[in-house]
Every structure is written in structure tokens, then in C-alpha cells.
Amino acid sequence: MTSYEATRAWADARDAADPLRSFRDEFLIPPHHGADSLYFCGNSLGLQPKAVRAAINDELDQWGTEAVEGHFRGPLPWLTYHETVREHLAEVVGARPDEVVAMNTLGVNLHLMMVSFYRPTAQRPAILIEAGAFPTDRYAVESQIRFHGFDPATALIEVEPDSEGGGISQATIERVLAEHGARIALVMLPGIQYRTGQAFDLKAIVDAAHARGCVVGFDLAHAVGNLPLQLHDSGADFAIWCSYKYLNSGPGAVGGAFVHQRHGKADLPRFAGWWGHDRATRFRMGPQFVPTPGADGWQLSNPPILALAPMRISLDIFHRAGMDRLVAKSRDLTSYLEWLVHTRLPETLDVVTPSDPTQRGAQLSIRVRAGRDAGRELFEYLMEHGIVGDWREPDVIRISPTPLYNRFSDCLGFTDAVVAWRDR
Ligand SMILES: *Cc1c(COP(=O)(O)O)cnc(C)c1O
């Protein structure tokens, strides 16, 4: 059991002893009145790696000097550019390289995956999601249900939270599967619930859902680059994510998709495009679509090189830091933040996120005891003082110390500010 202290000297000493501390220097930290802000919003938009600017400039230069030949020439020919992120992306999500692809954005990938993996029948028309799902996920599944001619009133099943903080236990998921499983075509749950910060046990969900004959997909928007994922071993059928949150790949970054190896060569229905065609024969430009094996076979278009450049840089950072070390530091940082809140602010704040470190990532979702208006006031006070979290309706402040660029002293600074607000 680590013993924590709520002093500057203790936090600074922990930061000085942190084996990952130099990674912070690879990021641009947004300034606030001439000093570094305390940035806790990597769950929403990760910070910019300093090397990104040069990586984008390299591609602009390649375009300027090589033009169309840039597809074939130079250190990173555009024709295979998306493959430069494949190995490191696979490492981050615990997949085999041919199971992952960087393409499109999360919402687009969710629809493309459902084209292949949501195959409703009259007996089995339903999709299971969590109540209070992120809007895009709800809109996407509802529109897919309607698109197939079914009615969301009966074909959209939402698992309700069973804990005060809004958490959903595995037992409740299994109870819903026992009751409705025979009618469920697709189970579509998050790796981490965005509002509560709860992490789900992907393998346990897959096992329970497969036992009922359901297909399983995960939205890993808040999990990728945050949790120690083992997607291949989880047995999930597919997963999708965005890359601008913990993956630090920039606003509107290219998203990602995972398709389990057992589906990689299967003749699944899909919406096809030329970039998903067998690489060996793509440029024969024939009329017959032959999918390239693996997740690459779901690509539609040639990828946006200027948007992939930041991801290449960012994933290189993840590769050098290593998910194991990042997760170890993340658990320590977030546990420290939680300890500070419980110790210094027990009458002021409640933590909604599970306290079990294996049931959460970096994020703590925090509520102000005095209610929503006080919560909103605290949030604005923090922003004015250069402490950046985010606000999620109706009453949650999300604070996410991320292991690549946050420090123990940042967590202390957050609670210093809340104490000052409380005592003002
Ligand atoms: C961030 C997030 C999204 C955003 O989707 P985009 O298509 O990238 O805009 C969707 N779902 C969840 C759960 C998210 O956290």
C-alpha cells in the first residue's frame, strides 16, 4: 500500500522519481497567464506532441516536391502510409497487426462495422447498449435498427445502472443477457463509460454475450491509450475508437477499428471501397471487389495523410513509453487524486467513478455535494484558474490525469484550487 502525502514536497519528489517524467517535455502544455495550465482533459482532447508540426511539414514538403509521385517515393510513401501506424496501434489495443486499421472517424467506423456485424432477424432484432450512452452511439444504433425496418421501442435494449454512482455491474449485464439474449443480435458497450468513468471487463462481457449467441462490439473512445486492452484475447467481434482523446492525435483525428482475426477472411457483407480491395490487384482497377484480408478490408478511401501524420508521432510516443508502464503510472496518479479528494475534501466532493483501479482508467468523475449549480460554479472557477477539466451534464466534472504529461503535483494543484474555492 503506497502512502500518499498532501504536500508539495512529497508530490515534487514523486514527480522527480517518475521514470516517465521526460515524456511531458514532448508535449505542448497550454499556458495560463504565463505558466503551464493544469490540463486534465486528455479524455476529451489530448495535448499536441511537439514533433507533430515537423511531421505534417514533412508531408507538405513531400507534396510540394514529389506531388503524385509522393505515393511511391520518399521515406514514407503515401500508398502504404497508414501501415506505418499499424504495429504501434496494435500494441496499444492488444491486437494482432492485421486486426487493426486507422481510418475514418469513430461514428463512421461504428456504422461500417454495424453493416457487417449487426445482422438482425425477426427472431433476433435487438441491440443492447448502456443507458445514458454517448449520443453518437445511441443515434447510430437507433438509426441502424430503423434502417433494417425494426422499431427501437422494442429492438433497442438499454442496461440501467445498478449503483448510486451510475455504474453497471457485470451481474446486471448478465441478468439482462439471460432475459433478452435470444432476441439480441448485437451487444454494443463502451470500454469506459464516458460520464461515470467506469471501465468494463471486456472479456467477461464477450463470454457472456457469445454464450447467448450475440455478436459483441466495443466503443473504445475513452479506453484506447488509457486501459490495458487485450482486444484479441477478449474475443470481441469488433471495436471502434477515436484518436483525439488519450491517443493525442489531434482534433478530429483519424479513428480506428478492430476486426477479430476470425472474421478477417470471412465473406461478411460490407460497404466496400477501392482502398479495401486486395492490395495486390487494387490498381488493376477491376470491376469485382475482392477484400484485402484483415481489418484493412473495411477501408473505403485512400487515407488523409496530413491527419495521419500526428497519429504516427503520437503512437511512437506510446510505443516508447509502453502501455504497461503507462497503466502503472496512471493507476498511481489517479489513486493519488482520489486519495487527495477523499482526504482534503470529504464534505465537498463525491467521486462517482469506481474506486477499484481495475474498474476505471485515468478519469475521475466528480460531483459537488452542494448540487449542480455549485458544481457548475466550481468548474468555472477552475477554468478561470487554468485548471482544465470538462463538464458533463447534468452535474459531473471530469478530471483525468494522464500518465504521459500529468504529474502528481498537478493532482495536488487541483485539490489546492478546490480548497481555495470552498474557503473563498
Ligand atoms: C468521443 C466519443 C465519440 C465521438 O465520436 P466522433 O465520431 O469521433 O465524433 C463517440 N462515442 C463515444 C463514446 C465517445 O466518447
Side-chain angles (χ1 to χ4, degrees), residues 95-138:
R96 293 166 195 238
D98 66 340
E99 291 176 317
V100 298
V101 60
M103 62 177 186
N104 310 313
T105 51
L106 184 153
V108 174
N109 290 336
L110 177 52
H111 278 295
L112 290 179
M113 288 294 121
M114 282 196 283
V115 166
S116 298
F117 292 102
Y118 173 51
R119 310 293 301 158
T121 61
Q123 291 74 36
R124 211 185 252 283
I127 301 181
L128 179 78
I129 62 172
E130 90 277 21
F134 194 94
T136 225
D137 301 74
R138 200 177 191 291

Side-chain angles (χ1 to χ4, degrees), residues 51-99:
V52 157
R53 188 175 294 268
I56 293 177
N57 275 333
D58 286 347
E59 299 316 320
L60 291 173
D61 289 345
Q62 166 108 330
W63 181 16
T65 56
E66 301 287 350
V68 72
E69 289 299 308
H71 286 101
F72 315 103
R73 286 217 288 249
L76 299 164
W78 299 329
L79 195 59
T80 50
Y81 196 95
H82 78 279
E83 294 174 15
T84 66
V85 299
R86 183 197 305 290
E87 298 275 338
H88 294 168
L89 194 54
E91 272 173 26
V92 166
V93 299
R96 293 166 195 238
D98 66 340
E99 291 176 317

Side-chain angles (χ1 to χ4, degrees), residues 105-107 134 136-137 194 219 221-222 242 244-245:
T105 51
L106 184 153
F134 194 94
T136 225
D137 301 74
Y194 81 100
D219 182 331
H222 284 82
C242 52
Y244 45 81
K245 294 172 179 167

